[in-house]
Amino acid sequence: MAQALEKNSVVAVVGSGAMGSGIAQVAAVAGHTVQLFDTRPEAVEKAIAGIGKALARLVEKGRMGAAEADLARERIHAMRALDEAKDAALVVEAVVEDLDAKRALFADLEGIVGPDCILATNTSSISVTAIGAQLKRPERLVGMHFFNPVPLMALVEVISGVATDKAAADTVHATAAAWGKSPVHAKSTPGFIVNRVARPYYAEALRLLLERAADPATIDAVMRDCGGFRMGPFELMDLIGHDVNYSVTQSVFNAYYGDPRFAPSVVQQELVNAGFLGRKTGRGFYRYGDDVAPPQAQAEPAQQGAEHATLGGADPVTQALKARLHVAEGPATIFLTDGRSATQRAADEGRPDTILFDLLLDPAKATRIALARADQCSAAAWNAAVALFQQAGFTVTRLDDVPGMAVMRTVAMLANEALDAVNQGVCSAAAVDIAMQKGVNYPRGPLAWADAIGLRHVFTVLANLGATYGEDRYRVSPLLRRKLAANPAGARIHAQ
């Protein structure tokens, strides 16, 4: 088992922006002497002062002792020149996201540091293989991708390029763990783990908006209150900035040679064209300002007649929901979405009063439920379904009848992308779940969620989406097919 760097090892950080200063702070708190460099000396002094203030706030909040904070601050030193990194055991680069700039920096560092020094890049999008291609010893270059804000975010993606030595990657992984982080190994492929697997969270929301399933505030509320996500996709895109989010989507799309699964959205492109970039410009999907009232999600008015509505289905989500509703047995009219529209399912099964509900993270505790009605559905059946959930304490939100609804199609696509990442050797199943929980705060790892829903149901959702749209975007991962073929009744990704 690889050992972390000794605490008496020197860590050099090149780049003193938000990422570089955060990395320096984490390394210093872990006990290392840290040398911080920037081409602008004043930026280094500003960063060190900022780290001191951040440590002081931790002391004020009782999260760190005053003596510990003072020692951590004293371990951070400004480098006047890059050659002062000659004794470093690890150099972490956190400069501009530009391949040529990173190559030039590592070429300089290679002539400065000792033969056992590990070189690490904090790149979020550039191939680690490409960055190291011109080095004399590319085997000691490792991706060490932190997430912002570094002191708070637990995830570190440890990225191995084609030439990266396993021992170097293992040492970086162990060192990140010793720094209190949750590191995961990944292969250098476009988007690594998080920026690849997260694409459907934005893409499916944008498709839902394009198809007028609901307005952004309603979809965001469904994703938060039903799916348990910390932020809805539209408010998250507004926070990230549409120029940034759209650019990352384009980058991944181009890197995968136009794979339709990663296709950018014309909806977001129009926002970028308009200059409506989100919070930073005062307008994105939402408007921002002191005098702007927050938009309200759609909610159905109170209804009566709950005794006329019943649930059908033996899946785990439906069973948990039945326990909360205490429904009577009878002809089922309400089902968990399986990727078909309610209208299509009503026609396929000869049930005109078909109503679908969206996936819930926790049916026992959810405060909102999203429903969709078939075009053939009677008003009486709809009102009864709404009343059934309202009596159980749910706010009922109606989505227009789009295939797969919101949470279900998004989670199915997240799981599908995660399965492809595992199938293609990018990372392990455990790593992808850790990455998505620790890196973007998902309420559950996508593969653990697929296990909870049932792999057969996830497959059915994806297959029905593919049949409806006729797009390769919804193709089922070969690994999902393999799992179901090996164990049709009880397939799981994670062993129990």
Side-chain angles (χ1 to χ4, degrees), residues 106-107 109-111 113-120 128-129 131-142 163-165 167-168:
F106 283 116
L109 285 168
E110 199 171 33
V113 300
D116 297 327
C117 179
I118 296 174
L119 303 177
V128 173
T129 301
I131 293 172
Q134 297 177 2
L135 292 177
K136 296 175 183 177
R137 291 185 54 205
E139 67 272 11
R140 62 172 166 173
L141 179 69
V142 183
T164 301
D165 184 72

Side-chain angles (χ1 to χ4, degrees), residues 162-418:
V162 170
T164 301
D165 184 72
K166 183 178 183 300
D170 287 345
T171 298
V172 168
H173 187 282
T175 299
W179 292 0
K181 298 301 182 182
S182 298
V184 292
H185 282 292
K187 186 168 67 175
S188 183
T189 52
F192 308 144
I193 302 175
V194 171
N195 279 332
R196 171 186 177 164
V197 176
R199 299 336 300 165
Y201 191 66
Y202 313 110
E204 293 309 307
L206 290 163
R207 174 66 71 90
L208 288 168
L209 186 64
L210 184 67
E211 296 182 7
R212 300 185 297 172
D215 59 88
T218 296
I219 296 172
D220 276 350
V222 169
M223 297 304 291
R224 289 193 312 267
D225 300 344
C226 303
F229 291 92
R230 187 168 296 183
M231 294 184 72
F234 298 108
E235 59 185 338
L236 181 55
M237 284 185 276
D238 271 6
L239 178 64
I240 294 168
H242 293 286
D243 51 342
V244 174
N245 189 260
Y246 183 69
S247 177
V248 172
T249 302
Q250 280 189 308
S251 175
V252 174
F253 178 64
N254 293 333
Y256 280 105
Y257 304 102
D259 188 329
R261 186 172 287 172
F262 305 108
S265 169
V266 294
V267 174
Q268 192 169 43
Q269 182 184 45
E270 283 292 272
L271 287 177
V272 173
N273 290 342
F276 297 163
L277 305 182
R279 285 182 177 272
K280 60 188 174 186
T281 61
R283 183 173 177 183
F285 287 111
Y286 303 108
R287 292 180 180 270
Y288 299 90
D290 295 337
D291 58 344
V292 178
Q296 299 300 308
Q298 188 273 348
E300 290 292 291
Q303 298 292 344
Q304 302 295 322
E307 65 274 10
H308 301 297
T310 56
L311 271 68
D315 60 273
V317 179
T318 300
Q319 293 305 306
L321 194 54
K322 283 182 177 180
R324 174 172 172 176
L325 299 178
H326 304 292
V327 291
E329 293 300 322
T333 55
I334 308 169
F335 305 90
L336 175 65
T337 176
D338 67 355
R340 290 177 289 178
S341 67
T343 301
Q344 185 64 55
R345 185 163 181 170
D348 291 345
E349 299 179 2
R351 302 173 189 263
D353 285 339
T354 295
I355 295 162
L356 303 179
F357 69 91
D358 205 354
L359 178 63
L360 298 167
L361 174 68
D362 187 346
K365 297 180 180 178
T367 59
R368 183 185 301 271
I369 194 164
L371 304 181
R373 62 185 289 185
D375 291 348
Q376 307 93 312
C377 181
S378 67
W382 171 255
N383 292 340
V386 171
L388 176 69
F389 291 108
Q390 288 175 339
Q391 287 186 8
F394 286 99
T395 296
V396 178
T397 288
R398 179 178 175 180
L399 298 179
D400 194 37
D401 188 24
V402 294
M405 304 189 74
V407 184
M408 180 62 86
R409 71 189 281 169
T410 300
V411 169
M413 285 294 282
L414 290 169
N416 202 43
E417 195 56 51

